């Protein structure tokens, strides 16, 4: 005869203490503050500062950080702070637009594969697996090489290479939603497959797709910076974080660290800021899913 289960042997749920909740709240506030500062910088600084980011002053080249130039100047005397703000604006624009396009494409492919099933699902997922086997950077270089250097070829390159993970996430979510009672009720009531997908499946996957889009923004920024650093993305005269890091490489070898450090910091900063906000979003989604499972 089996021994009775005592309260000590029972499964207990892990709960978050007051310290854990306060640290999570602090992390979310810090992430939100950093995100707001970045957005305000790219929106407010260029109109308020009536300076030309392309203005060359060879008498002030490679000045270290000071009150007049908080980030110093580059190798042709341009103010590095203003150049970094413009570069951050371009990189954020590329990241946001590319993440939006990739999310739309990935959601459409994943929803079609999960809702239709059968040979359509197998064909679409084999296409996703085939494209996933090619390194993102190599595929991005191939796409950019088809066009002249510019902003929109970079956006297209990043979008084409970043929708694959979203397609997998959406497909898995659609497959889990297909077994829900309200979906079975809609099918039993005579609803078409298109109506079930649009009215029941897509609204259920939009939160996960939105979370994937948010997490994709810093990844797209890194991808754009890598292409620009290699000289395959934006033109060298157009400020982006990748072109600024690439332009400061020669100064770094000469001992001038600021032309590379500050653009690099602005490239790294969005990643923990956006990841902190996305983590809070993910926790809310998980709480809602746990509450649905207990109904």
């Amino acid at each position: 005869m089996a021994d009775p289960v005592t309260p000590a042997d029972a499964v207990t749920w892990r709960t978050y203490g007051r310290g854990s909740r306060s640290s999570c709240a602090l992390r979310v506030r810090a992430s939100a503050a950093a995100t707001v500062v970045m957005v305000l910088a790219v929106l407010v600084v260029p109109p308020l500062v009536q300076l030309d980011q392309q203005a060359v002053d060879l008498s002030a080249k490679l000045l270290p950080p000071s009150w007049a130039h908080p980030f110093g100047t580059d190798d042709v005397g341009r103010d590095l702070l203003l150049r970094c703000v413009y570069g951050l604006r371009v990189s954020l624009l590329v990241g946001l637009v590319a993440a939006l396009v990739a999310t739309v494409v990935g959601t459409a492919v994943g929803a079609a594969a999960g809702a239709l099933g059968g040979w359509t699902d197998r064909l679409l997922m084999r296409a996703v697996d085939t494209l996933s086997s090619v390194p993102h950077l190599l595929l991005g270089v191939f796409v950019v090489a088809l066009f002249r250097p510019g902003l929109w070829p970079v956006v297209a390159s990043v979008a084409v290479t970043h929708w694959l993970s979203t397609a997998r996430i959406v497909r898995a979510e659609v497959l889990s939603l297909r077994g829900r009672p309200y979906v079975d009720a809609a099918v039993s009531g005579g609803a078409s497959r298109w109506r079930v997908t649009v009215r029941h499946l897509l609204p259920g996957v939009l939160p996960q797709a939105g979370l994937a889009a948010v997490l994709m923004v810093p990844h797209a920024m890194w991808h754009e910076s890598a292409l620009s650093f290699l000289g395959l993305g934006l033109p060298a005269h157009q400020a982006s974080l990748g072109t600024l890091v690439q332009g400061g490489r020669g100064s770094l070898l000469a001992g001038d660290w600021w032309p590379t450090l500050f653009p690099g910091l602005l490239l790294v900063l969005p990643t923990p800021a956006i990841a902190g906000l996305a983590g809070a979003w993910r926790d809310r989604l998980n709480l809602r899913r746990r509450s649905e499972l207990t109904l």
Side-chain angles (χ1 to χ4, degrees), residues 77-294:
R78 293 173 295 191
D79 184 75
L80 198 57
L81 174 59
L82 190 60
R83 295 272 293 171
C84 286
V85 170
Y86 275 94
L88 180 61
R89 182 169 67 171
V90 172
S91 297
L92 280 176
L93 175 64
V94 172
L96 290 172
V97 176
L100 179 61
V101 175
T103 301
V104 172
V105 175
T107 301
V109 174
L116 297 177
W119 65 268
T120 304
D121 183 19
R122 292 191 294 271
L123 179 63
L124 291 177
M125 287 300 102
R126 293 299 80 74
V128 170
D129 294 338
T130 302
L131 292 175
S132 298
S133 64
V134 182
H136 283 181
L137 186 58
L138 181 60
L139 185 58
V141 168
F142 174 76
V143 174
V144 169
L146 299 177
F147 306 94
R148 296 179 60 184
L151 179 64
W152 298 113
V154 175
V155 172
S157 171
V158 177
V160 165
T161 57
H162 285 71
W163 62 271
L164 306 172
S165 59
T166 304
R168 288 196 179 97
I169 293 172
V170 171
R171 174 183 176 270
E173 192 70 15
V174 168
L175 291 178
S176 66
L177 292 176
R178 283 175 56 179
R180 298 294 179 90
Y182 63 87
V183 175
D184 293 337
V187 174
S188 301
S192 63
R193 185 171 295 181
W194 171 259
R195 183 178 178 84
V196 170
T197 302
V198 174
R199 295 291 301 272
H200 301 288
L201 297 181
L202 278 181
V205 303
L206 286 181
Q208 295 290 341
L211 178 60
V214 172
L215 290 173
M216 200 184 303
V217 171
H219 191 190
M221 293 176 61
W222 281 92
H223 197 97
E224 177 274 325
S225 299
L227 290 175
S228 298
F229 182 82
L230 294 174
L232 301 171
L234 298 176
H237 68 275
Q238 187 172 358
S240 76
L241 296 180
T243 57
L244 291 177
V245 173
Q246 197 277 339
R249 181 180 54 180
S251 302
L252 180 63
L253 297 176
D256 301 321
W257 48 268
W258 55 92
T260 304
L261 175 64
F262 292 113
L265 288 178
L266 288 181
L267 181 60
V268 173
L269 179 61
T271 301
I274 296 176
L277 296 178
W281 188 354
R282 183 179 61 247
D283 292 340
R284 293 180 65 89
L285 289 178
N286 291 337
L287 286 175
R288 189 181 67 177
R289 176 167 296 184
R290 286 199 295 267
S291 65
E292 291 176 352
L293 292 176
T294 57

Side-chain angles (χ1 to χ4, degrees), residues 7-15:
D9 298 329
V11 177
T12 58
W13 293 98
R14 180 180 297 178
T15 58

